[in-house]
Amino acid sequence: MSINVMKFGGTSVANISRIRNIVKIIEEKIYSTGEKIVLVVSAMSGVTNKLVLEYKKLNTNISTPEYDVILSTGEQHSSALISTMLNEKKISSRSILGWQIPIITDNNHSQARILSINSKLIKSYFKKYKVLVVAGFQGVSHENRITTLGRGGSDTSAVAIAYSLGLKSCEIYSDVDGIFTSDPRVVKNANKIDSITYEEILELASLGSKVLHPRSVELAMKYGIKIHVRSSFKRKLGTMVVKEENKIEKEVVTGITSSENEAKITLKGIPDKPGIAAEIFGALARANINVDMIVQNITDDGKFASLTFTVPIDDQNKAVKELRKSKIKFKKIHSNDNICKISIVGVGMKSNVGVAQKMFETLAKKNINIQVISTSEIKISVLIDLPKKKMALNALHIAYGLKK
Ligand code: ASP
Ligand code: MG
């Protein structure tokens, strides 16, 4: 028996006419391949957000079993709608919820992790049905409570189910054609990428391009499952997320992203002595504030240093407050959120020199000042003024030959 896992996101099931479109895709698939289909589904777009708001009016703590019971209903609803419409078209189908399979998770409510999936049950249902419509994003704990996997988690449901069935790939359908070299709304010549590695997509995801739930990529990477990210509105191939060895084109830079979710904080006139950085970042860590990029300068006389770093924009005020009320000595503190982080990502960086140089040169030519730099093996990020974002993205897109 050949099985295919196909996951459809919220916008693909947003209304009845879009669900009709999915039914068509399924019909074509069954007709052309004869495969049995596990159709993993998200809630209709906007539904989960509404449920969160409703719950939060009563309780701001979301790590509770009841939060998960409420949130999981979005997928219960959409899975039944799809199954109803498939059956109407004489495609035998049933909906199935996380606890019915079961998909066992830990009891970390609102952020649960999958422990096991009873794939035998899924297979046994294929004696009776052509399509199983699985409610994504949910499972059940050993305490017999419904759990959810974290926002965007139905991608993870799909990859985990594919793995449990022994499959080598799965398809994730959404309203975008695939993964792009840059944001097409900002960079006019952005192109769809044919293949991208797990590592690259993880870097891009952490930079704010919300294409896939990061945990789904981690899981796919661990078990070598290819993810085909594609559009439910077009019949064209999308982007394959694969192992580095399987990547077709090995450009130095695969994608360029930007993030406006950080604020920059500068501390001036801090004594230049051992332990001071530990004190500053310790204070922030205790306040649960994540620091990302860091740069330190020493004054000419070597007595004082200034330290600049970035924090999530939502933590900007909290960070300043924490530092002011701490015992850390500094002369001035200054924060600014009119900035953005631009990052270039590519596995080809590992084996090419001059990649950073080209980035700095390109920005210099456009008279764009780089305020902070950070790097990893496959990523270089720079902090620049927000108004220069579009210019920077477009110039870098050309410089790295991403324009077709
Ligand atoms: N419906 C859930 C959410 O909006 C899960 C998902 O869409 O993947 O986060
Ligand atoms: Mg999603």
Side-chain angles (χ1 to χ4, degrees), residues 7 9-10 42 152-155 210-213:
K7 181 253 165 178
S42 284
S154 49
D155 295 339
K210 291 191 197 116
V211 259
L212 289 171
H213 194 227

Side-chain angles (χ1 to χ4, degrees), residues 182 186-187 256-258 342 389-397:
S182 201
V186 188
V187 178
I256 306 176
T257 57
S258 63
I342 305 278
K389 170 178 136 176
K390 188 171 180 179
M391 195 202 268
L393 284 173
N394 278 282
L396 291 168
H397 200 259

Side-chain angles (χ1 to χ4, degrees), residues 102-388:
I103 294 175
I104 305 282
T105 71
D106 61 19
N107 62 1
N108 192 2
H109 287 285
S110 80
Q111 280 293 340
R113 279 178 177 264
I114 296 176
L115 300 174
S116 67
I117 297 178
N118 181 12
S119 57
K120 274 199 195 122
L121 185 97
I122 297 177
K123 284 182 187 156
S124 73
Y125 275 132
F126 282 134
K127 291 192 191 107
K128 193 163 170 199
Y129 302 105
K130 288 202 167 92
V131 182
L132 267 189
V133 187
V134 175
F137 175 57
Q138 55 182 271
V140 61
S141 69
H142 282 303
E143 287 83 29
N144 200 21
R145 304 273 355 215
I146 287 172
T147 54
T148 63
L149 309 179
R151 296 302 307 274
S154 49
D155 295 339
T156 300
S157 309
V159 173
I161 291 170
Y163 169 68
S164 77
L165 289 167
L167 307 183
K168 293 270 170 290
S169 64
C170 72
E171 294 181 294
I172 294 198
Y173 289 80
S174 72
D175 56 350
V176 294
D177 295 354
I179 292 150
F180 281 75
T181 52
S182 201
D183 183 349
R185 287 166 302 185
V186 188
V187 178
K188 230 176 52 205
N189 296 307
N191 290 304
K192 195 189 77 198
I193 301 168
D194 292 330
S195 68
I196 188 166
T197 68
Y198 302 116
E199 291 90 342
E200 287 169 333
I201 200 95
L202 283 172
E203 289 285 10
L204 291 168
S206 67
L207 298 171
S209 56
K210 291 191 197 116
V211 259
L212 289 171
H213 194 227
R215 286 239 312 282
S216 71
V217 183
E218 285 164 16
L219 208 63
M221 176 156 83
K222 188 162 165 200
Y223 298 115
I225 294 166
K226 284 186 200 159
I227 304 177
H228 187 180
V229 180
R230 59 190 308 182
S231 165
S232 59
F233 302 112
K234 296 176 190 164
R235 297 297 189 266
K236 279 197 251 158
L237 293 180
T239 301
M240 292 300 295
V241 187
V242 296
K243 275 193 209 142
E244 197 174 334
E245 301 94 274
N246 298 343
K247 199 176 155 182
I248 306 158
E249 337 102 74
K250 291 223 166 81
E251 315 83 352
V252 179
V253 170
T254 307
I256 306 176
T257 57
S258 63
S259 156
E260 296 176 21
N261 294 326
E262 17 255 287
K264 178 181 80 165
I265 295 179
T266 302
L267 287 173
K268 284 198 171 145
I270 34 182
D272 186 29
K273 58 165 205 216
I276 190 83
E279 258 180 64
I280 292 168
F281 296 122
L284 295 170
R286 279 190 297 279
N288 225 345
I289 298 169
N290 233 335
V291 174
D292 180 26
M293 310 170 85
I294 302 172
V295 66
Q296 183 180 344
N297 305 311
I298 314 287
T299 52
D300 287 341
D301 62 11
K303 280 190 194 130
F304 290 100
S306 71
L307 193 67
T308 300
F309 52 87
T310 60
V311 297
I313 202 160
D314 293 336
D315 287 335
Q316 178 182 6
N317 295 335
K318 188 169 149 201
V320 172
K321 236 197 238 156
E322 288 295 328
L323 292 169
R324 283 221 164 98
K325 83 172 195 222
S326 75
K327 289 193 188 96
I328 300 157
K329 285 197 188 96
F330 53 84
K331 286 184 185 153
K332 256 192 212 153
I333 186 164
H334 176 253
S335 76
N336 175 6
D337 56 20
N338 196 26
I339 49 151
C340 81
K341 180 166 81 171
I342 305 278
S343 305
I344 57 174
V345 172
V347 285
M349 271 180 213
K350 291 186 207 170
S351 48
N352 281 278
V353 291
V355 184
Q357 155 75 5
K358 185 181 254 178
M359 181 179 204
F360 304 152
E361 218 174 71
T362 305
L363 296 175
K365 269 193 203 138
K366 294 281 173 192
N367 220 355
I368 298 171
N369 188 34
I370 299 172
Q371 304 171 19
V372 190
I373 302 168
S374 72
T375 64
S376 80
E377 204 179 12
I378 64 163
K379 177 184 81 177
I380 304 169
S381 302
V382 297
L383 204 66
I384 63 167
D385 281 335
L386 184 56
K388 300 270 170 85

